[in-house]
Amino acid sequence: NAGVTQTPKFRILKIGQSMTLQCTQDMNHNYMYWYRQDPGMGLKLIYYSVGAGITDKGEVPNGYNVSRSTTEDFPLRLELAAPSQTSVYFCASSYSGTGSAYEQYFGPGTRLTVT
Amino acid sequence: AQSVTQLDSHVSVSEGTPVLLRCNYSSSYSPSLFWYVQHPNKGLQLLLKYTSAATLVKGINGFEAEFKKSETSFHLTKPSAHMSDAAEYFCVVSVRSQGNLIFGKGTKLSVKP
């Protein structure tokens, strides 16, 4: 049982480049999330999904896109990378959604630098 | 609106002494509250959670937290710090009407030998 896995671990992008951050979970969780963590700050929600085919914006969605074609996978796409997107990105999953007792399980993170 | 305030950005203790990390929350609903720990260059790990059952919650590695509704607090404690406790700790509230968790800004715990 691997839990939540993310690839790559590190990436350096030039301004304007595009990339996809991969996230996979093997716990059969319905809910999946993408967060970013900036230095000295807590995590902020980018997008989330309550099941395959359903996604919704979080607090900071601009500059990102997501898709959820399967229960297991929830990739995050950066179309035109900007320096403001330099951050550590965490993917998470949970059995149920908010207001419930079901905690979120986090991946190890992807450290992205845009120069 | 829901919010979380961690009252200390950095706490330093000596090994073997008690740990207190403070957290206040604001929520329109009965909240679910969590403490997560993040070791350097690692993902987040759940320490403990409050879900409207017992107000004193015990977690992993000897940590516990007490939910005090009258004070809107959920402070994290440990009787005796260990060097391996050095990490960043996040207090988190679950938002019922939205699909996300609200994170505090974190408290960095340093443990001196």
Side-chain angles (χ1 to χ4, degrees), chain B residues 32-44:
Chain B
S32 293
L33 293 160
F34 307 82
W35 276 99
Y36 281 85
V37 62
Q38 183 181 30
H39 288 94
N41 299 313
K42 300 288 187 184
L44 281 77

Side-chain angles (χ1 to χ4, degrees), chain A residues 4-11 19-24 34 73-76 89 91 107-111:
Chain A
V4 181
T5 57
Q6 293 182 237
T7 57
K9 286 188 168 54
F10 304 94
R11 182 72 185 267
M19 77 164 294
T20 299
L21 282 65
Q22 301 292 344
C23 175
T24 300
W34 274 106
D73 300 308
F74 190 41
L76 178 72
Y89 291 83
C91 180
T110 294
R111 189 173 298 272

Side-chain angles (χ1 to χ4, degrees), chain A residues 33 35 37 40-43 45 48 90 98-101 103-104 106-108 111, chain B residues 32 36 38 41 43-44 46 49 51 90 94-96 98-101 103-105:
Chain A
Y33 313 81
Y35 294 91
Q37 183 183 28
M41 304 293 288
L43 278 66
L45 184 69
Y48 68 100
F90 289 100
T98 61
S100 74
E103 67 267 23
Q104 294 183 13
F106 285 82
R111 189 173 298 272
Chain B
S32 293
Y36 281 85
Q38 183 181 30
N41 299 313
L44 281 77
L46 181 71
K49 62 186 179 187
T51 58
F90 293 96
S94 177
V95 180
R96 193 169 83 178
Q98 303 172 27
N100 64 319
L101 301 177
F103 282 77
K105 292 187 177 181

Side-chain angles (χ1 to χ4, degrees), chain B residues 2-78:
Chain B
Q2 285 75 10
S3 66
V4 175
T5 302
Q6 292 184 245
L7 298 167
D8 306 291
S9 59
H10 191 194
V11 170
S12 183
V13 301
S14 297
E15 191 173 22
T17 64
V19 175
L20 170 63
L21 306 183
R22 298 181 295 164
C23 172
N24 286 348
Y25 70 92
S26 172
S27 176
S28 303
Y29 308 98
S30 296
S32 293
L33 293 160
F34 307 82
W35 276 99
Y36 281 85
V37 62
Q38 183 181 30
H39 288 94
N41 299 313
K42 300 288 187 184
L44 281 77
Q45 180 185 18
L46 181 71
L47 273 180
L48 49 80
K49 62 186 179 187
Y50 166 75
T51 58
S52 73
T55 56
L56 182 62
V57 182
K58 294 188 184 299
I60 62 173
N61 300 334
F63 284 94
E64 62 182 37
E66 186 171 7
F67 174 72
K68 291 187 176 180
K69 186 175 181 179
S70 60
E71 299 175 10
T72 61
S73 69
F74 190 56
H75 301 334
L76 181 71
T77 60
K78 183 174 180 178

Side-chain angles (χ1 to χ4, degrees), chain A residues 32-93:
Chain A
M32 295 188 74
Y33 313 81
W34 274 106
Y35 294 91
R36 60 177 287 172
Q37 183 183 28
D38 298 320
M41 304 293 288
L43 278 66
K44 295 194 174 183
L45 184 69
I46 304 172
Y47 272 94
Y48 68 100
S49 169
V50 303
I54 306 170
T55 62
D56 207 348
K57 296 178 180 179
E59 185 181 357
V60 289
N62 291 343
Y64 307 95
N65 279 300
V66 294
S67 59
R68 183 97 182 270
S69 56
T70 67
T71 299
E72 295 78 20
D73 300 308
F74 190 41
L76 178 72
R77 177 85 178 158
L78 283 71
E79 290 294 349
L80 293 171
S84 61
Q85 294 178 304
T86 294
S87 190
V88 181
Y89 291 83
F90 289 100
C91 180
S93 71

